[in-house]
Amino acid sequence: MSLTLSDASQGPSAARLKDWKDKGMIRTDDLKNLVIIPVLKAMRKAIPNNENVNSNSAVNLLLGTCAVESNMGYFLKQIKGPAFGIYQIEPTTYEDIWENYLSSRPELISVILYNKGVVPDLLEIVGNLYLATFMARVHYMRFREPLPKPYDVRGMAEYWKTYYNTSKGKGTVQGFIANYRKYIENEI
């Protein structure tokens, strides 16, 4: 079976769009099992002495980050801002991670660079869920504070607010908790 442009132009019904927005665009189990866990396992192989890189806490924190930042993949571009992808990574953060963190960690770079040293363009995080997940996890790895326990939703929300959204961001701990419950707790 092949799709044509006319098939795509019909688009989903208004009811289906509302259902997608309510549920998010990416199934939680698929994101967890097909994207997050494989990326974190590859990172763990590259840095075997870091047992927390692929912990349940890291998996759940990334799920929560996706839920609060993009409504589980519904928004791939920030509405009134510069951020992209399911984790809404801003260009300055993306560049800072490459220049000031990854540049001195070739073992991590090897996990994601498959084009012989060419740093992926920022817009690749929109369609490349592996790259987006890698960058979001690396962002959290830059901080020494231990990750919260895997099922401590409030702790994850506070961690996200402190280290990801920061005091400059518009997100709230309550918003993280609400989206975690909406998109994740009932799905995993």
Side-chain angles (χ1 to χ4, degrees):
M1 179 178 159
S2 63
L3 295 176
T4 65
L5 185 56
S6 62
D7 295 327
S9 66
Q10 293 174 15
S13 67
R16 185 71 175 140
L17 282 174
K18 182 185 180 327
D19 185 50
W20 279 342
K21 187 174 182 186
D22 288 344
K23 291 185 178 174
M25 295 297 289
I26 302 172
R27 288 186 62 243
T28 302
D29 279 347
D30 288 346
L31 181 62
K32 177 182 177 180
N33 295 313
L34 300 175
V35 179
I36 294 174
I37 290 174
V39 167
L40 298 187
K41 280 184 178 179
M43 292 174 78
R44 176 68 190 270
K45 280 185 181 179
I47 48 172
N49 60 337
N50 187 334
E51 62 191 40
N52 293 319
V53 72
N54 67 330
S55 66
N56 287 333
S57 293
V59 171
N60 289 347
L61 181 60
L62 289 170
L63 286 170
T65 302
C66 179
V68 71
E69 292 287 342
S70 69
N71 285 5
M72 217 59 191
Y74 185 78
F75 297 104
L76 295 178
K77 166 74 175 83
Q78 189 176 19
I79 294 184
K80 292 184 180 178
F84 290 98
I86 64 172
Y87 302 103
Q88 296 291 290
I89 298 172
E90 294 186 3
T92 53
T93 302
Y94 186 84
E95 292 167 9
D96 185 61
I97 289 170
W98 281 105
E99 292 173 13
N100 297 311
Y101 190 82
L102 288 173
S103 64
S104 62
R105 292 167 177 82
E107 70 283 0
L108 271 177
I109 292 174
S110 68
V111 171
I112 207 67
L113 283 189
Y114 37 82
N115 288 333
K116 296 184 172 73
V118 177
V119 174
D121 184 74
L122 167 69
L123 289 180
E124 278 199 44
I125 64 172
V126 174
N128 185 335
L129 299 179
Y130 298 119
L131 176 61
T133 298
F134 172 83
M135 294 301 286
R137 181 64 184 105
V138 169
H139 176 77
Y140 284 120
M141 288 171 62
R142 300 188 303 168
F143 305 100
R144 294 184 185 269
E145 184 72 25
L147 296 178
K149 299 290 183 199
Y151 299 102
D152 178 4
V153 178
R154 174 164 288 285
M156 284 187 285
E158 291 169 353
Y159 197 92
W160 162 82
K161 181 61 185 166
T162 301
Y163 298 109
Y164 201 93
N165 187 257
T166 76
S167 60
K168 296 177 185 176
K170 293 181 182 176
T172 64
V173 168
Q174 295 78 14
F176 183 104
I177 292 169
N179 277 14
Y180 195 92
R181 289 185 175 144
K182 180 178 182 179
Y183 296 116
I184 298 164
E185 276 187 351
N186 297 326
E187 300 295 325
I188 58 173

